[in-house]
Amino acid sequence: MATVHLDHLAGRRVFWEHGRSIGYMEEIIAKRDGSDLVVTEFHVGIFAAFERLSASTIGTALLDFFALRQREGLYRIPWDKLDISDPTRPRLLCREEELAAFKAQPEDK
């Protein structure tokens, strides 16, 4: 298995296999598993970057003021639905119909 440096993925466009982009990779979520960190999901889309702001009180207030937490455009892609073997061009491994299931809901904040 090849090693992929996660910092090479941040900010990259994520593509369908036919070349259309669904947005930029903004967050990589990992959980601790013993002494390892295991990637569980990738956050992709125009509002994924704003999600980082919600960790602070000021960020949450800004998101609420501009009603950004209710907007569409954030996908939470499970680790096994993204091919990162070419970190310069991450590619979805699911059909377009499946993507709707990964769209973040307002209660996911």
Side-chain angles (χ1 to χ4, degrees), residues 20-90:
R20 192 174 59 124
S21 170
I22 67 160
Y24 292 93
M25 185 174 306
E26 298 290 349
E27 290 281 330
I28 300 166
I29 307 301
K31 305 255 185 212
R32 186 159 299 283
D33 183 15
S35 61
D36 296 325
L37 285 175
V38 178
V39 172
T40 58
E41 65 185 20
F42 300 93
H43 292 189
V44 177
I46 191 162
F47 293 103
F50 291 113
E51 183 183 46
R52 282 187 290 226
L53 292 174
S54 67
S56 72
T57 304
I58 294 172
T60 301
L62 284 172
L63 290 174
D64 287 340
F65 179 77
F66 291 107
L68 292 177
R69 287 199 290 180
Q70 284 73 37
R71 297 237 184 131
E72 295 184 8
L74 168 60
Y75 296 97
R76 294 176 181 199
I77 311 294
W79 70 270
D80 61 340
K81 300 293 184 186
L82 198 63
D83 176 3
I84 58 171
S85 60
D86 177 1
T88 64
R89 195 168 172 85

